[in-house]
Amino acid sequence: MERDSKHATCSECRAPRVSIVMPIFNNVDCLKATIDSILAGTLGNWELLAVDDGSDEETLELLETYAQKDNRIRVIRRERLPKGAPTCRNIGLAMAQGEYIVFFDSDDYVAPHCLLQRVSTIAARPELDFMVFPSGLFVDNSFSEQGQTSLYGYPLFSDDLAGFASRELPFIVWNNIYRTLSLRQHSITWDEELRSLQDADFNLSTLLSGMKYEYASARPDYGYRILYDTSSVSAQIMTEKHYSSHLHALRTFYERYSERFGHTYDRHLFRGVLSVYNTIITRQQTSREFNKELASLVGRYDKFSAFRLRCTMLTHQLLCRFMPSNSARKLSMLFYLVGRNKRNKQRLAKIHSIAASTASDGEAI
């Protein structure tokens, strides 16, 4: 794919084609690698809205250094509450000047062909509000396009709403490129109360709004970084300070689905509840108060699922008296875990099949 060289001659005389909104909070090494990967891209006409969430001086100095060297990079300080990535993304969305917009994380990898591929593809489809692109992984500073269950942006579901309800996500926000005007016309914003599970909420909003989208048959162009640092957001997603956020996210999903579809997605929503609950008790014990609130929440919308959840919780508590917590978790959630493993194998097979098909059509994987 050829490099867009227009930036060198007239970058100051035209609006950016695409706005990159990126919330930032410390993590200098990863941040530098991410910005460098954007700068190495083959599209020149972009703006990076680097929205800082209260970083340390080292991070701010790094950002200002980049901004001084490249006028496409704008450093924005979050000056209102609440603190968090959703607030930063809303600030960036409000300030974006590009015809298109992408939401990237500050610790991932953007492939050189990413922005040009996305802009040229959606520009050829004026009837669509956004498009979904396949992702890869960024592990040990290396971009991998090979199919794994942790990859997203592939058309794996016959019903994406079912996928989001069950937390088996069809795509993440960084998979997508949106028409900025479409997001604004449909009043799509980020829920600033959420500390985690933010992408699923945002994506559900776009689907329920009626925005038109399609999956692109394209090369993976974004690398989700696998982090093993326990201080990262992904590692802390199931700590006690996130409990109220989990309940808010699940309540919002139940309300939206039940209002629009009645009980059609109940089994998928319950699978999503089990996904959240399983992740929590994998990392640490839940409190009795949280278990009570979670079961009560589910019971307001689906009494049978609430009964099943209470049985699962009680079984886990009883088994913990006789065996290690992790063994008790696996045994109490056996049916869910067996089903999840089966679905993961099916997911991986579909990813391999789609990747092979795309490669045979001339898009090298």
Side-chain angles (χ1 to χ4, degrees), residues 20-172:
I20 306 164
V21 174
M22 183 184 296
I24 292 168
F25 183 67
N26 298 332
N27 205 353
V28 169
D29 292 338
C30 290
L31 172 61
K32 185 177 186 303
T34 301
I35 295 178
D36 286 344
S37 71
I38 294 172
L39 291 170
T42 54
L43 178 74
N45 189 16
W46 48 262
E47 66 171 352
L48 170 59
L49 304 177
V51 187
D52 181 69
D53 196 30
S55 297
D56 56 30
E57 286 302 315
E58 182 182 12
T59 303
L60 292 173
E61 289 177 5
L62 176 68
L63 289 174
E64 292 298 341
T65 298
Y66 275 111
Q68 290 172 9
K69 292 181 179 179
D70 195 314
N71 59 19
R72 296 172 297 178
I73 299 175
R74 300 165 60 192
V75 181
I76 303 163
R77 303 284 187 94
R78 176 186 56 75
E79 297 181 344
R80 65 175 179 83
L81 296 175
K83 175 181 173 58
T87 302
C88 293
R89 293 186 182 111
N90 280 336
I91 292 171
L93 173 57
M95 299 180 68
Q97 299 178 14
E99 178 181 0
Y100 307 105
I101 188 169
V102 294
F103 297 94
F104 290 164
D105 288 345
S106 63
D107 56 2
D108 290 336
Y109 170 81
V110 181
H113 61 280
C114 176
L115 294 177
L116 185 55
Q117 172 174 266
R118 293 192 185 188
V119 168
S120 60
T121 303
I122 194 172
R125 301 295 304 277
E127 76 279 11
L128 298 179
D129 295 298
F130 70 97
M131 293 194 73
V132 183
F133 289 76
S135 65
L137 294 176
F138 196 60
V139 185
D140 295 330
N141 293 318
S142 178
F143 180 47
S144 172
E145 302 177 4
Q146 299 302 311
Q148 298 184 38
T149 56
S150 54
L151 300 188
Y152 302 93
Y154 291 88
L156 306 178
F157 296 84
S158 58
D159 181 358
D160 282 344
L161 283 168
F164 282 111
S166 64
R167 303 290 175 180
E168 296 171 350
L169 307 178
F171 49 86
I172 313 297

Side-chain angles (χ1 to χ4, degrees), residues 11 39 90 106-108 125 155 198 230 250 265 304 326 357:
S11 62
L39 291 170
N90 280 336
S106 63
D107 56 2
D108 290 336
R125 301 295 304 277
Q198 304 151 4
T230 57
L250 294 170
Y265 288 94
F304 179 65
N326 192 46
S357 176

Side-chain angles (χ1 to χ4, degrees), residues 184-203:
R184 291 171 177 167
Q185 287 179 333
H186 288 85
S187 301
I188 305 297
T189 57
W190 293 80
D191 186 339
E192 296 179 6
E193 293 185 41
L194 292 175
R195 302 178 69 94
S196 54
L197 307 177
Q198 304 151 4
D199 292 61
D201 180 84
F202 188 89
N203 284 324

